[in-house]
Amino acid sequence: MTSTPAILLIIAGLDPSGGAGLAADIETAVALGVHPAPVASLITVQDTVNVSASEPLAPELVVDQAEAVLADLPIAAIKLGALGTAAIGSAVADLLARHPDIAVVTDPVLAAAGGGRLAESELIAVYRERLFPLSRLATPNREELALLAPEDGAAELLALGLPACLVTDGEGRGDRIVHELHTDEVHLVANGPRLEGSFHGSGCTLASAIAARIALGDDLEEAIHRAGAFVQKAVAQAYQPGQGQKVPKRW
Ligand code: PLP
């Protein structure tokens, strides 16, 4: 029998265009040799242009999916994508508190690239007060960071108990993509040239690649560097399946 790969538990939303959310996370995990255990938090109606509706599942249903998997499979890391509501965020925080030894990478998804909202504003306080202190890393982009920490950016989140914050630059403007890793120091993580176009699911891909590499045993900085290279390659090979954004080719 083939030996069992490392397993990544993913709690995220379903994007039926296949570009972002659970589909992006599953493809990324598989491409990196990790078995994905995907738990749905919300269902969206969307295409490659934007989100037209987002429907959260009942918080108990989200947690029951995850607990079933946690009771059966040896989960090496957890990735959180879109959670949608404060009630789901709080239920997931309770879940993480029951499994404190598993490293958690939290992508605090608030909106789709087209502007469609994917979270109610009450979820912001739950990220700050409950989910970040239980995470190993959070991966906000600059727009998300401005909403999550309007006073003092990443330093504000570290002061709340988040151990590491990667401010991602996928949607920035410079010629090169340079993420910022904030711990007790600030490291710039250069990722390569910025490629022309808008890419659906690149933030999800980066966060799930980091989580998958952590599941494989990398330390945080190694995981971020390898995940950055993975995203750069996936974006360089992106294709345009519909009328809107391109999708990174992760496989
Ligand atoms: N999660 C879901 C379910 C989504 O629909 C989206 C964007 O549409 C995202 C996450 C965030 O995607 P991105 O990686 O492009 O920021």
Side-chain angles (χ1 to χ4, degrees), residues 13-15 20-21 42 44 46 51 82 109 111-113 118 171 199-205:
L14 184 67
D15 162 14
L42 53 86
T44 68
Q46 70 176 299
V51 176
V109 176
L118 289 166
E171 278 130 41
F199 302 96
H200 193 53
S202 52
C204 304
T205 305

Side-chain angles (χ1 to χ4, degrees), residues 7 14 28 35 37 43 46 75 79 90 138 156 171 189-190 203 217 220 235 239-240 242 245 250:
I7 303 176
L14 184 67
T28 301
H35 174 89
I43 308 287
Q46 70 176 299
I75 301 297
K79 187 248 161 149
S90 298
E156 187 180 336
E171 278 130 41
V189 186
L220 188 63
V235 166
Y239 53 94
Q240 188 177 9
Q245 291 183 295
R250 295 168 277 247

Side-chain angles (χ1 to χ4, degrees), residues 44-173:
T44 68
V45 178
Q46 70 176 299
D47 53 25
T48 57
V49 179
N50 206 355
V51 176
S52 55
S54 173
E55 186 74 25
L57 301 189
E60 310 75 55
L61 182 57
V62 177
V63 168
D64 286 353
Q65 294 175 72
E67 287 288 24
V69 170
L70 281 155
D72 185 31
L73 314 183
I75 301 297
I78 299 176
K79 187 248 161 149
L80 304 182
L83 298 176
T85 66
I88 294 177
S90 298
V92 169
D94 293 341
L95 170 89
L96 299 182
R98 292 195 289 278
H99 301 276
D101 297 334
I102 307 178
V104 180
V105 174
T106 297
D107 185 13
V109 176
L110 300 177
R117 279 185 62 174
L118 289 166
E120 63 183 19
S121 52
E122 292 79 3
L123 179 58
I124 288 177
V126 179
Y127 276 123
R128 287 170 55 92
E129 287 155 29
R130 304 225 38 222
L131 290 164
F132 289 158
L134 294 163
S135 300
R136 178 75 192 81
L137 175 74
T139 61
N141 60 32
R142 291 203 173 78
E143 278 176 29
E144 287 159 350
L145 186 65
L147 294 166
L148 290 159
E151 299 287 316
D152 202 14
E156 187 180 336
L157 301 182
L158 298 194
L160 290 166
L162 175 67
C165 183
L166 185 71
V167 183
T168 64
D169 186 34
E171 278 130 41
R173 300 203 178 277

Side-chain angles (χ1 to χ4, degrees), residues 213-239:
R213 289 301 328 180
I214 289 174
L216 290 167
D218 283 5
D219 69 28
L220 188 63
E221 290 203 25
E222 266 174 343
I224 290 170
H225 280 284
R226 288 191 168 136
F230 176 82
V231 177
Q232 192 72 20
K233 184 160 169 243
V235 166
Q237 301 173 343
Y239 53 94

